[in-house]
Amino acid sequence: MEKYIDEACAKFREILLSQVERVEKMKSGASATDFSKLDKIVIGLAGGDGIGPIITDEAERLLRFLLADELATGKVEIKVIEGLTIENRMAKNQAVPDDVLAEIKKCDVLLKGPTTTPKGGTMESANVTLRRELDLFANVRPVCVPEEGIDWTFFRENTEGEYVLGSKGIEIPDTLACDFKVTTNPGTERIARAAFEFARANGKKKVAIVTKANIMKKTDGKFSAICHEIAKEYPEIEAEEWYIDIMTANLVNTAIRSSFEVFLLPNLYGDIITDEAAQIQGGVGTAGSANTGSKYAMFEAIHGTAPRMIEQGIGDYANPSSLFKATELMLRHIGFTAYADKLAKAMSICTETEKKVICTGDRDGATCKEFADYVMNTIKSI
Ligand code: IPM
Ligand code: MG
């Protein structure tokens, strides 16, 4: 037992040192990329696993259609990234193999299909690795249900909390297991500022800070305190304090849910509640996700690889809406606002009002390709 405890203490010391180093790096943070100043914007495309390549192929077709002029003039380049597959990652025993990461870093932004995360073991999720390696600290997830007055934007901290050391826990065999949760000052300040800046720029009146600070006193306590500190810089915006348990209830409380606007949360709560929110919008297949940092940004569906669909041979019926929403977020991020608006409008027609071609995720619905054609034809008619 003593041996295990000594080993764990030594490991904990290393963990603390690495996290303090991360804090120092954050403090000297890079300034944000100004896409309007780039001669060329390189968009990386990675298919991922399961239904990933199927929905990503359609997103690529959509992108090539929308950006035809920019691709022709060389203002935009689409770079297909190979090797972000579970087979290659397992073979190299790396969540994101070095050569794949190097290719990704040559791009300004990445549009990514879902990737398989092995359960247990020590291999980290490719998402978590990419978010850390590219320092994508803000996970922004919009959810809208116009007929119910719901217009939510979630700002989920994306690089720390339970995730940062998720594969570095400690175990004493047959006795106990221990994971770590980390909240840092600069890590919290930057996500809080991103949420309040968004609220200010978009005329939002309230930001809901959501934690479990009554229980996770150190980490969530710090998150909450720092968010309230940053809130003082935005006196026109009300900072509300909520606990995550009651907030999950609030989202299904039709009497009050439309009053929420912007949510600001640590990593794990943000992960969980955004699936709930997406379900309210129509399912996880309907929500896009932006992972943004100062230099890089990655855009993806919020759902997984749907292995059951592949096993049942119905992968071609996957709904690409989530990745199309991510494409819209990406176009907006790199400054192609008019294309983003067009795509958003077409998606609203195709999934909310007209609904002529519907993906059900099964053979009774449209294929991924048919739905993509429908969206592109709708864009042409706008
Ligand atoms: C998400 C996903 C990821 C997460 C997984 C795939 C690691 O659920 O983006 O919400 O937990 O962040
Ligand atoms: Mg999730």
Side-chain angles (χ1 to χ4, degrees):
M1 189 54 70
E2 277 296 307
K3 176 182 143 256
Y4 284 121
I5 292 176
D6 286 348
E7 272 173 21
C9 289
K11 193 168 170 188
F12 188 50
R13 185 182 156 77
E14 294 218 334
I15 281 172
L16 283 178
L17 287 172
S18 74
Q19 292 307 302
V20 170
E21 197 182 313
R22 195 170 61 82
V23 167
E24 292 308 319
K25 254 196 217 145
M26 268 190 276
K27 282 190 191 155
S28 57
S31 53
T33 303
D34 181 351
F35 289 94
S36 68
K37 300 237 162 70
L38 298 182
D39 292 333
K40 178 159 95 176
I41 300 173
V42 183
I43 301 175
L45 265 181
D49 305 304
I51 60 166
I54 299 168
I55 59 174
T56 311
D57 277 355
E58 297 310 317
E60 179 175 357
R61 242 171 15 103
L62 175 65
L63 262 186
R64 290 195 182 278
F65 165 74
L66 279 168
L67 297 174
D69 292 347
E70 290 72 13
L71 286 163
T73 59
K75 171 79 193 143
V76 172
E77 182 191 328
I78 292 181
K79 194 174 160 64
V80 175
I81 311 278
E82 308 285 351
L84 199 65
T85 59
I86 187 66
E87 294 80 12
N88 190 40
R89 291 185 286 131
M90 292 298 256
K92 304 250 171 76
N93 197 25
Q94 279 188 300
V96 178
D98 291 338
D99 55 332
V100 178
L101 184 61
E103 286 303 299
I104 291 174
K105 284 189 172 171
K106 288 184 197 155
C107 306
D108 297 298
V109 289
L110 177 70
L111 185 64
K112 181 186 133 317
T115 42
T116 298
T117 305
K119 198 169 155 204
T122 52
M123 186 175 300
E124 196 175 47
S125 132
N127 279 46
V128 175
T129 307
L130 284 172
R131 289 168 186 167
R132 188 186 54 243
E133 293 298 322
L134 305 177
D135 202 23
L136 308 174
F137 63 85
N139 188 193
V140 188
R141 299 184 156 177
V143 165
C144 293
V145 188
E147 63 276 22
E148 285 195 40
I150 292 175
D151 185 3
W152 296 330
T153 309
F154 293 84
F155 279 76
R156 163 192 178 192
E157 200 295 319
N158 213 20
T159 48
E160 33 192 68
E162 293 81 352
Y163 281 67
V164 62
L165 297 168
S167 47
K168 296 219 162 68
I170 283 170
E171 193 160 4
I172 301 183
D174 302 322
T175 310
L176 62 81
C178 189
D179 280 318
F180 301 105
K181 168 164 173 164
V182 184
T183 299
T184 69
N185 286 47
T188 308
E189 282 159 19
R190 61 187 188 175
I191 186 68
R193 213 161 254 124
F196 280 98
E197 280 297 320
F198 170 86
R200 176 172 278 174
N202 291 277
K204 307 286 182 194
K205 307 228 156 24
K206 294 196 303 179
V207 172
I209 299 160
V210 188
T211 67
K212 190 74 184 171
N214 49 342
I215 301 299
M216 302 304 292
K217 292 185 190 288
K218 289 279 184 256
T219 49
D220 285 1
K222 177 182 281 301
F223 191 92
S224 171
I226 291 179
C227 289
H228 283 287
E229 241 349 271
I230 300 287
K232 291 185 189 151
E233 296 170 27
Y234 303 83
E236 78 280 18
I237 298 163
E238 189 190 338
E240 293 182 328
E241 174 88 16
W242 291 93
Y243 292 139
I244 184 65
D245 46 356
I246 189 63
M247 189 51 100
T248 60
N250 289 343
L251 292 198
V252 286
N253 180 346
T254 50
I256 61 165
R257 65 183 179 185
S258 62
S259 69
F260 295 107
E261 299 181 317
V262 178
F263 300 78
L264 171 54
L265 323 89
N267 208 339
L268 185 59
Y269 311 138
D271 174 46
I272 296 167
I273 208 168
T274 50
D275 269 17
E276 184 195 12
Q279 191 59 43
I280 292 165
Q281 178 181 258
V284 290
T286 66
S289 169
N291 300 266
T292 60
S294 299
K295 185 166 164 50
Y296 298 106
M298 170 176 88
F299 300 82
E300 59 184 351
I302 84 160
H303 57 74
T305 58
R308 271 179 293 263
M309 289 188 75
I310 299 297
E311 277 160 29
Q312 291 164 19
I314 53 170
D316 287 342
Y317 293 86
N319 185 351
S321 294
S322 178
L323 204 59
F324 286 7
K325 295 257 177 82
T327 304
E328 179 216 320
L329 294 172
M330 183 179 76
L331 289 168
R332 214 171 282 292
H333 184 78
I334 59 180
F336 293 121
T337 316
Y339 295 146
D341 287 345
K342 259 193 179 178
L343 176 53
K345 192 162 175 209
M347 285 299 287
S348 156
I349 294 172
C350 296
T351 63
E352 285 158 18
T353 51
E354 200 180 73
K355 298 198 240 184
K356 275 196 196 150
V357 177
I358 299 173
C359 284
T360 61
D362 211 334
R363 289 194 175 84
D364 60 352
T367 63
C368 184
K369 188 171 178 312
E370 284 162 354
F371 181 78
D373 285 335
Y374 177 41
V375 172
M376 285 185 271
N377 286 331
T378 306
I379 292 173
K380 279 183 208 155
S381 71
I382 290 173

